[in-house]
Structures are given as structure tokens and as C-alpha cells.
Amino acid sequence: MTASLNIALSKGRILDEILPLLGRAGIEPREDPAASRKLILDTNLPDIKLTIIRAADVPTYVQYGAADLGVAGKDVLMESEGDGLYELLDLKLARCRLMVAEPERLAARDDPKSWTRLRIATKYVNITRRHFAAKGIQTDIIKLYGSMELAPLVGLSDRIVDLVSTGQTLKANKLVEVEHIADISAWLVANKASMKMKHKPLTSLVSRLAEIVEQG
Ligand code: PRT
Ligand code: MG
């Protein structure tokens, strides 16, 4: 009997980009995860199942062993601060950058070198606090769950910390990037106990995926 592997994925960008990669590794879900209301999906391989959850929940599922493997953005991993998982492979998918942004009119007379205290809206509270604490800059952080770009427009904050890919969203809201925090991509993560207990099937899948990522 081969041990079964459960892979946690989130709908949206990650799913759109990971499905072709899994397909190249010979793994096809039995139904379309984007359309299905099922939360656990069978694949063509009897020993591989996909669990569909919210992006921010992927590290939790993997840490507790509710999934053996997971695919999560580096942003989500950095924010979750958990230590119960291994970051195995940079899948180089869903790439973007985590940035500090502010209104154009503020940027015109702003100098990041002079920052001492900032009022920032973000969903990345931990990353933001750590990033600025390391530079000795104090932060008043306002936690939001989305649409961070709105905050400076309505006076909720002066600046935001958010993901940027094309830059269209910032531009449409008259915001500009002022500081780079991290380059972001989706990573394959694994539960630590699964790495021991299911070592063979797990590492063979990971090396198959690594080869495909290498091929680009
Ligand atoms: O939707 P839900 O609340 O369940 O979760 P989620 O919003 O975290 O999921 P999703 O699917 O939106 O994002 C999943 C992952 O995709 C993130 O954790 C990132 O690792 C990655 N990713 C890559 C992005 C982007 N690019 C991205 N551009 N996630 C979000 N964005 C947003 C960004 O927040 C901003 O609002 O897109 C907007 C900017 O895009 P541009 O192209 O206008 O610059
Ligand atoms: Mg979203």
C-alpha cells in the first residue's frame, strides 16, 4: 500500500497557476476545483487528493498535518510565522512583490530615509512590524483584510503595505511604490511529520515538481 498525500491549495491565482504544473507532473483533479463546491477532490492518482482552502489557512493545515503538502504565497508564509513546516520548493508561480506604497502627492516630498513613525494600513501586520522595527522605525498599523489601496484615499492611513504585480491597481488609485520589502512567489511546503512518515512518495513528488520548475 502506498501512503496517500493530501495537498492543500487555495482558489484564485495559486490554483490557476498550480493546476498546469500538477498536470505536467501527471496529476489531474477528477473535477474542476475552481467550479466544484467539494473541499476535498480526488485526482486521477488514487493516492493523491487536493484540499481546497483559503490562502491564509494553508500554513495552518500543513502545520497541524491536516495536509501533507501545501502551496502558499511567500507573503502568507512570512506573515504566519509558524515553524511547524518545511519550505521545500520555490514554485516560481504567482510572482509579485511586497511593497510600501503612498499617494503620489505625498511621494513628491517624501524621503524614506527620514521616516521615524509611520501610519500604515495592511493585512501583513507581522511582516510590516518586523520590517520597520529592524530599521528602528515606529509603526501604527491598521489591520485590513483587503482593498488596502483604499486606505490612503479616505485618510485611514498615510501608507500601505501590499502586493504589487503589474502596478495597475496602485496607478488607478494614484499611489506609488516607495520601498521594496520582499519578492514573493508561491512555495511548496510540507508537514514535518509527513516528511518522515511519508518520505518516499513525498520526496518523489517534490523532485518531479522541482524538475518541472527547473525546465520553466
Ligand atoms: O481571496 P482570499 O481572501 O481568499 O485570499 P487572497 O486574496 O490571499 O488570495 P489570492 O488568490 O488573491 O492571492 C493568493 C496569492 O497570490 C497571494 O498570497 C500572493 O502570494 C499571490 N499574488 C501574486 C497576489 C498578487 N500576485 C497580486 N497582485 N496576490 C494579490 N495580488 C493583489 C494585490 O493585493 C493588489 O490588490 O492584486 C492587486 C495588485 O495587482 P496589480 O497587478 O494591479 O499590481
Ligand atoms: Mg484575493
Side-chain angles (χ1 to χ4, degrees):
M1 194 196 91
T2 41
S4 70
L5 291 178
N6 195 333
I7 310 174
L9 302 172
S10 56
K11 282 194 184 181
R13 276 168 239 263
I14 300 267
L15 189 62
D16 295 344
E17 298 199 25
I18 192 74
L19 284 182
L21 182 69
L22 290 176
R24 286 171 66 189
I27 301 167
E28 304 275 359
R30 286 231 179 266
E31 51 195 296
D32 176 9
S36 174
R37 291 181 184 272
K38 273 193 198 163
L39 300 175
I40 301 179
L41 298 179
D42 290 324
T43 69
N44 59 319
L45 304 181
D47 50 350
I48 296 190
K49 295 197 192 307
L50 308 180
T51 304
I52 311 296
I53 55 181
R54 288 293 292 266
D57 289 334
V58 169
T60 308
Y61 273 68
V62 174
Q63 270 168 40
Y64 286 92
D68 302 296
L69 289 167
V71 177
K74 187 76 180 176
D75 51 314
V76 169
L77 296 170
M78 287 167 70
E79 182 65 17
S80 85
E81 297 185 316
D83 60 355
L85 48 78
Y86 292 121
E87 295 183 7
L88 293 181
L89 179 65
D90 182 355
L91 296 168
K92 301 182 180 170
L93 302 175
R95 289 168 109 149
C96 56
R97 52 197 186 275
L98 188 63
M99 305 293 297
V100 184
E102 64 187 21
E104 286 166 3
R105 49 171 175 73
L106 175 55
R109 53 179 167 78
D110 193 21
D111 177 11
K113 286 192 207 71
S114 69
W115 288 348
T116 53
R117 183 169 200 127
L118 301 174
R119 188 175 166 87
I120 296 179
T122 187
K123 71 173 178 183
Y124 300 104
V125 172
N126 297 325
I127 299 174
T128 301
R129 188 174 296 119
R130 258 189 279 136
H131 174 77
F132 287 108
K135 307 200 310 169
I137 297 169
Q138 284 194 306
T139 43
D140 299 314
I141 300 174
I142 298 154
K143 163 85 186 185
L144 293 176
Y145 291 87
S147 302
M148 272 77 83
E149 295 88 353
L150 182 60
L153 307 186
V154 295
L156 191 56
S157 70
D158 305 317
R159 297 175 182 81
I160 61 171
V161 166
D162 194 10
L163 301 173
V164 179
S165 48
T166 63
Q168 289 301 317
T169 309
L170 290 184
K171 200 165 175 212
N173 294 290
K174 294 190 160 48
L175 300 169
V176 291
E177 302 172 33
V178 279
E179 189 165 89
H180 177 272
I181 297 180
D183 286 322
I184 301 295
S185 57
W187 278 70
L188 185 69
V189 296
N191 173 263
K192 287 187 173 173
S194 302
M195 274 296 274
K196 291 201 191 94
M197 311 290 287
K198 303 181 179 180
H199 190 261
K200 220 170 157 189
L202 207 149
T203 49
S204 90
L205 174 58
V206 173
S207 52
R208 228 184 316 156
L209 291 172
E211 267 171 43
I212 296 165
V213 172
E214 269 314 301
Q215 287 160 9

